[in-house]
Amino acid sequence: MSETVVSIRGLVKKYKEITALDGLSLEIKEGEVFGLLGPNGSGKTTTISCLLSLLEYNSGEIEIFGKPMTPVSYDIKRDIGIIMQNVAVFEELTVFENIDYFCGLYIKDKKTREKYVEEAIEFVGLSDFKKFYPKKLSGGLLRRLNIACGIAHKPKLIILDEPTVAVDPQSRNKILEGIEELNRAGATVIYTSHYMEEVEQICTRIAIMDKGKKIAEGTTAELKKMIKNTETISIEVRELSEDIMKQMSELPHVYKAEQKESKLYIYCSGGKHNLIRVLNVLQEHDISFGRVYSELPSLNDVFLEITGKALRDKEE
Ligand code: ADP
Ligand code: MG
């Protein structure tokens, strides 16, 4: 059995009258890429800040590597790499100097440090930008610098708080591949995001958060099994009569049928050939239609079914 790396029990954090964390418990094992998935404001950053003792909390217990975490747990902090949501680098230092500075907080031997800094630069793909100042870097490259600063000292536990927000697809892929590579090399990873696709792609286990609480936890497959939805069919079609909609909703395995913005949505639970039955109804009434999709449940559906609201931000 693998070791517990992080244990959070009954964590409560209030900002004046706002309860940001409401009795959160998490257990993260060695070797995991653990995803904290939740919409903006659900408490992900607050969790990370409390975990690192950067923020005082009202109650709860936090242990890292089997020891209580406190603001002065320097021995624990040495083995943690932290990449915060807001990029934190020195504007007056170059790419190389920034990484060297952060690495130098933990690695005192000059030769070792130089090697580690070079490796980190190589790892995030910034070899051509070593002498650049941060303000000359694109958003994506800046994010990569932020990551290099966090991982250069080769920590055992790496925590990344929304590292891909507002980055170009190329940097995003580089970041996601990098995380998987660090994990293969032995690091345990905690990854927060409100992008379910990313979490689904790289995380071995996921906790879904909402309003400071954990509302579900498991592997992607386990989470999807928790809900009744197994297939969502959507069809571009003109507005259908109430009779036809009633017929749709009475098809076998269909638990909901609705029309939104000139699209028909059919939600199914189990069964095969659901799409064919739906199309047969349209054909029966001689109704022509446009594009047709049949989709398996996503983590968004898991979130939707448990909380009654969408995880995805509409504007993204
Ligand atoms: P997430 O990282 O999931 O977006 P946060 O942990 O940043 O969520 O925020 C959780 C809740 O706490 C939100 O309601 C947010 O408005 C509130 N909050 C976060 N930081 C502060 C703060 N410094 N002062 C007051 N409220 C805060
Ligand atoms: Mg956040």
Side-chain angles (χ1 to χ4, degrees), residues 15 18-20 38-47 85 161-162:
Y15 296 103
I18 300 169
T19 303
N40 288 329
S42 55
K44 303 181 297 294
T45 299
T46 303
T47 304
Q85 185 169 0
D161 192 10
E162 308 236 27

Side-chain angles (χ1 to χ4, degrees), residues 91-160:
E91 292 297 333
E92 61 273 26
L93 300 182
T94 63
V95 163
F96 185 95
E97 290 162 351
N98 260 296
I99 303 168
D100 188 57
Y101 171 81
F102 286 103
C103 189
L105 297 175
Y106 307 102
I107 309 292
K108 298 300 173 194
D109 179 68
K110 205 159 171 279
K111 268 236 159 67
T112 311
R113 186 161 86 231
E114 209 173 295
K115 179 169 164 278
Y116 281 16
V117 173
E118 288 293 350
E119 282 172 7
I121 289 173
E122 175 81 15
F123 184 75
V124 297
L126 283 177
S127 302
D128 294 340
F129 303 90
K130 271 191 237 183
K131 296 211 168 107
F132 279 54
Y133 287 91
K135 66 172 176 297
K136 295 274 179 196
L137 301 177
S138 69
L141 295 183
L142 200 55
R143 284 267 163 197
R144 295 200 225 164
L145 170 60
N146 201 38
I147 292 173
C149 291
I151 59 148
H153 63 291
K154 299 194 190 294
K156 287 193 264 185
L157 171 63
I158 300 171
I159 302 171
L160 302 105

